[in-house]
Amino acid sequence: EKGGFDTYMLKEIYEQPQALTNTLIGRLHDDTGEVNLDIGLDPQSFKRISIIACGTAYYAGLVGEYLIEQLARIPVEVDVASEYRYRNPIVSEQTLAVVVSQSGETIDTLEALREAKKGGAKTLGVINAKGSSMTRELDDTLYIHAGPEIGVASTKAYTSMVSAFVMLALWLGRARGTLDETQARDLLHAARELPRLVEEALAPERVEQIKRVAEKYAHARDYLFLGRGVNAPTAFEGALKLKEISYIHAEGYAAGEMKHGPIALIDANLPVVVVATESRLLEKTISNVQEVRARSGQVIALLSDGDTENARHADDVLYVPRAHEMVSPVVNAVALQLLAYFTATALGKDVDKPRNLAKSVTVE
Ligand code: M6R
């Protein structure tokens, strides 16, 4: 049932090219730059968006916020569901609430959805499980079609959710006129490349390199993950994945926040993973890398293929295929999933059933 893999998690990591194909298929039209999501929602009918989710799905939502604000210029807020449901949120008929969930059963997210509906919001779900509780209460569902995910640590659902947000942002941007046809085509093309890029990210020599690095630092007590912009959530997700299955304490930070506290943690025993793939803000990220280095921190840099220039600032480099910045979180996440995976297996942990965790959290 694990298709020749030792664990469900590894199987699901390798299923990502197919899962992404299934998420994207039939929804993107290269020739016209149009996106067809088959949802009834009127893209002009709301003024703001609230994205609500838990855990990994919440991080996918943070990428969604960035994409929607950049591409469609609609104000977005993102909440963890357990906060949203109790904070008396401001909701109206002009709010679109987007809930994100692999299982469609997470109780906090379901209750937050009910709270948003009470306030009159229109509701859309980015959901994996067909016919799940949330889908029965949503106005519209954008299925991610990632297929069943069994490993407790979410992998293919995450990258499929992020890809769904790429499509949603494109669709909103086109419908609301913030994206012209050329920009839309460009992004659409970038999105369609994702299954191939993820396949490339899973090439044996890359996986071997990630494994070596994971084993080198497997005995660290703490880990720090840094990223910026659309890849700040990649750092958060990388930290979550690592702590969840290896039990190493890890924190994810927006790179620019390092100076405001976490820099105090840095010493020779702290591996710092920096997502430093091609972006508008790469130079700024590299200066954060230098700050870590200057304090003897161990830098593990995620760099775009061919970036030998910045490799000299790092102790270890994980190269990832070049991708359009807006879709790069999908490709980058894969490397961090593998880093967490090989760290946990080096430490002999049961990655499919990490202690104290359940696949879907249906109690509060
Ligand atoms: O089924 P959901 O997407 O609603 O689940 C949300 C979280 O419980 C889930 O993402 C959790 O954080 C994962 N174990 C992360 O790998």
Side-chain angles (χ1 to χ4, degrees):
E1 76 229 341
K2 292 179 195 152
F5 289 96
D6 290 344
T7 61
Y8 283 110
M9 184 179 173
L10 195 60
K11 171 173 178 269
E12 289 159 6
I13 289 174
Y14 277 91
E15 277 170 356
Q16 288 177 111
Q18 189 59 52
L20 292 168
T21 300
N22 295 345
T23 306
L24 300 166
I25 209 157
R27 289 168 159 170
L28 303 176
H29 304 283
D30 282 60
D31 39 343
T32 54
E34 294 305 321
V35 179
N36 178 9
L37 299 182
D38 223 359
I39 49 185
L41 187 77
D42 173 4
Q44 313 287 357
S45 63
F46 47 86
K47 291 216 161 68
R48 46 197 286 265
I49 297 181
S50 279
I51 300 177
I52 309 157
C54 301
T56 285
Y58 169 73
Y59 295 136
L62 289 179
V63 179
E65 172 186 36
Y66 192 96
L67 294 171
I68 293 168
E69 289 198 339
Q70 291 305 306
L71 306 180
R73 309 304 292 162
I74 305 168
V76 180
E77 57 176 4
V78 195
D79 273 278
V80 287
S82 55
E83 285 298 312
Y84 184 90
R85 62 181 286 201
Y86 293 121
R87 79 171 166 83
N88 194 10
I90 300 168
V91 192
S92 77
E93 288 80 34
Q94 299 195 317
T95 307
L96 172 66
V98 180
V99 298
V100 193
S101 179
Q102 188 287 126
S103 62
E105 302 294 345
T106 303
I107 192 70
D108 281 326
T109 311
L110 183 59
E111 288 296 340
L113 164 63
R114 291 174 177 156
E115 185 66 30
K117 283 180 83 165
K118 244 192 272 163
K122 300 181 180 61
T123 59
L124 171 69
V126 174
I127 308 279
N128 194 32
K130 307 270 148 63
S132 50
S133 302
M134 286 176 213
T135 65
R136 296 195 292 271
E137 300 188 26
L138 286 158
D139 294 330
D140 264 303
T141 301
L142 178 56
Y143 279 114
I144 60 173
H145 299 304
E149 190 183 66
I150 298 183
V152 165
S154 183
T155 53
K156 62 177 180 172
Y158 178 72
T159 47
S160 291
M161 285 165 181
V162 172
S163 307
F165 275 115
V166 171
M167 295 191 296
L168 188 61
L170 259 163
W171 180 69
L172 291 169
R174 282 302 275 150
R176 296 170 65 113
T178 51
L179 273 181
D180 65 29
E181 199 181 314
T182 322
Q183 290 167 310
R185 277 219 204 113
D186 201 34
L187 278 158
L188 212 135
H189 180 72
R192 288 183 59 130
E193 290 284 281
L194 280 171
R196 187 183 61 76
L197 291 175
V198 167
E199 184 88 61
E200 244 184 74
L202 290 166
E205 61 283 5
R206 294 187 202 265
V207 177
E208 270 310 307
Q209 167 67 358
I210 297 172
K211 188 166 185 239
R212 271 196 296 276
V213 171
E215 287 167 358
K216 175 171 168 190
Y217 297 102
H219 293 285
R221 200 189 57 178
D222 311 279
Y223 244 95
L224 187 61
F225 287 75
L226 303 175
R228 271 179 190 269
V230 75
N231 277 299
T234 308
F236 309 157
E237 168 62 6
L240 173 63
K241 216 88 300 173
L242 185 73
K243 70 185 116 182
E244 184 173 28
I245 59 170
S246 75
Y247 318 145
I248 295 175
H249 166 241
E251 295 202 45
Y253 261 93
E257 270 291 288
M258 195 178 60
K259 280 204 188 72
H260 303 281
I263 198 165
L265 293 169
I266 295 174
D267 65 17
N269 300 317
L270 184 74
V272 182
V273 177
V274 188
V275 183
T277 49
E278 219 178 340
S279 100
R280 256 174 340 112
L281 296 174
L282 180 55
E283 239 176 80
K284 298 210 180 287
T285 305
I286 295 298
S287 73
N288 299 128
V289 167
Q290 286 163 324
E291 288 156 9
V292 174
R293 261 313 212 30
R295 286 156 188 87
S296 320
Q298 304 284 302
V299 174
I300 304 167
L302 224 71
L303 298 178
S304 297
D305 276 346
D307 185 359
T308 46
E309 170 65 20
N310 287 315
R312 64 198 164 92
H313 302 299
D315 295 277
D316 294 279
V317 177
L318 305 177
Y319 279 112
V320 293
R322 280 177 183 270
H324 188 299
E325 182 175 3
M326 292 293 170
V327 304
S328 65
V330 172
V331 184
N332 295 343
V334 175
L336 300 189
Q337 294 164 354
L338 287 165
L339 184 68
Y341 182 82
F342 289 121
T343 305
T345 50
L347 295 170
K349 308 297 182 204
D350 179 351
V351 296
D352 281 340
K353 287 204 178 2
R355 68 185 181 203
N356 310 335
L357 284 168
K359 181 62 183 164
S360 55
V361 183
T362 52
V363 290
E364 201 180 335

